[in-house]
Amino acid sequence: MHSTGETGWSVMGTGTIATEHMVAAIRAAGHRPLWVVSRNRQYAAHFSQDMEIPGISVDARRTLQDPRVGFAYVSAARDRRRHYIQAAAAEGRHVLCDGPIAASSRIAATLAEACRNAGIVLALNQPFRALSPHQTMRRLLQEGEIGTLQSLLIARGAPFQPPPNRHPDEETDHGDALFEMSVDSIDLARFLTGQEPAAVSALPAVPPGNGAGQQAYAIEMSGGAIFQSYESFTTAEFDSIVMLAGDRGTLLAHGTLSGKGSGALVRRLNGRNELIPIRDRDQHVTTVEAFIALPQKTAGWMSVGEDNVMALRTAEAVRAAQRKRPASIRTR
């Protein structure tokens, strides 16, 4: 990846993902986190000390003007990501950002365009894409292992728990919890199938207006496959399911969406189940390494700004479909 900087990074935001995974992943890839940026200087100082990052700043532009810095990793709260992405684009620094990059597809589209016009890469940290079972599913589908894809099913559920935060004054937006789950599921569906959403139908979210509920929706994909998703914060925890069903066989991933491991992948052909061996890799290191290599080495599995725009646009269509009054079924 061409850059005016070297191998240094500016870490923008002090989120949990950065703390637990991404700073270590940057170092594992042979690069150096040089700056931590936060609008709260005390937060930046504490993060700098915990993560052993030498520089702190409340001014994103200052860190991006450091000639040693070639990359920006954005782990800030969602409403701050826009500011940091725009700053990176203005300074010509490539951006890896936690998703989604914005609260709406309209804002996301303006950010993707700004980065494109600046000639920089805007990529997303989407761990589901980087998981070995999902990458293997995609490859086997492309190779015709299960024939022509007919259906994709994603199901996951667990009791609602606010994500861990470094700072006690950080609040969790319950109302957007299901929305962001659907963005991730839709992005994974596009990645696995190589197809685009074409039409959406949905049941109303339960309970209405409360993000800590459950939802179910179906999407007709451009290649003819039907994508069905169930996402819930109201159930007891169960192993997540990602299933690709073709006209010759099925691929089934268990436990890949829980964040507690890479899960398992099973292939079903001719009435028999076969466990597929998977090389277990750290998805965060995989993401950083692929991002660094762009665009010299194509990594078509990575999510970029335009992918996130489409996922947000489709999730907004799901939300709109949920607001329509459902048709009742007459029993007599």
Side-chain angles (χ1 to χ4, degrees), residues 2-257:
H2 174 74
S3 171
T4 56
E6 298 175 356
T7 60
W9 291 62
S10 176
V11 178
M12 299 182 173
T14 58
T16 303
I17 296 175
T19 306
E20 295 183 346
H21 302 291
M22 296 303 289
V23 170
I26 290 168
R27 289 185 170 126
H31 283 206
R32 298 172 57 207
L34 296 175
W35 291 91
V36 55
V37 181
S38 174
R39 56 183 165 181
N40 185 309
R41 180 172 288 276
Q42 185 178 25
Y43 287 173
H46 290 166
F47 190 89
S48 170
Q49 181 177 6
D50 291 345
M51 298 290 104
E52 298 182 340
I53 298 174
I56 65 172
S57 181
V58 296
D59 182 356
R61 297 286 289 270
R62 176 191 173 196
T63 71
L64 294 164
Q65 290 168 354
D66 183 337
R68 301 171 299 165
V69 171
F71 310 95
Y73 166 56
V74 178
S75 184
R78 190 181 63 184
D79 62 354
R80 292 288 293 170
R81 293 171 191 172
R82 178 181 185 179
H83 168 71
Y84 291 138
I85 291 171
Q86 289 173 330
E91 298 299 329
R93 298 298 189 254
H94 304 292
V95 183
L96 178 63
C97 184
D98 292 339
I101 58 177
S104 72
S105 62
R106 179 185 59 80
I107 296 174
T110 64
L111 294 174
E113 182 179 12
C115 292
R116 187 168 55 250
N117 292 340
I120 66 167
V121 171
L122 170 58
L124 275 85
N125 175 29
Q126 289 282 24
F128 292 162
R129 286 190 177 218
L131 281 171
S132 296
H134 295 161
Q135 294 202 0
T136 302
M137 292 177 82
R138 181 173 183 251
R139 175 178 58 82
L140 293 175
L141 174 63
Q142 291 174 341
E143 293 175 352
E145 187 73 18
I146 61 173
T148 301
L149 183 66
Q150 304 297 310
S151 176
L152 164 63
L153 172 66
I154 294 178
R156 51 182 171 144
F160 181 80
Q161 295 180 347
N165 292 318
R166 285 178 58 86
H167 314 299
D169 57 345
E170 292 180 350
E171 296 183 358
T172 301
D173 187 346
H174 294 190
D176 279 345
L178 280 179
F179 180 75
E180 293 201 4
M181 284 185 80
S182 65
V183 172
D184 288 341
S185 295
I186 291 162
D187 180 78
L188 180 59
R190 294 181 64 247
F191 165 69
L192 290 172
T193 66
Q195 300 181 24
E196 295 295 343
V200 172
S201 61
L203 295 174
V206 181
N210 187 337
Q214 58 182 333
Q215 63 184 7
Y217 53 91
I219 299 176
E220 179 185 352
M221 305 297 284
S222 59
I226 300 299
F227 164 41
Q228 300 173 79
S229 186
Y230 171 73
E231 297 143 1
S232 174
F233 288 118
T234 66
T235 61
E237 184 171 344
F238 61 83
D239 271 351
S240 63
I241 298 169
V242 180
M243 183 179 74
L244 296 176
D247 57 8
R248 290 185 54 247
T250 299
L251 296 167
L252 187 62
H254 293 277
T256 54
L257 306 180

Side-chain angles (χ1 to χ4, degrees), residues 96 123-125 129 191 286-287 290-291 294 299-304 307:
L96 178 63
L124 275 85
N125 175 29
R129 286 190 177 218
F191 165 69
T286 299
T287 296
F291 168 68
L294 290 173
W301 63 266
M302 281 205 75
S303 178
V304 295
D307 291 308

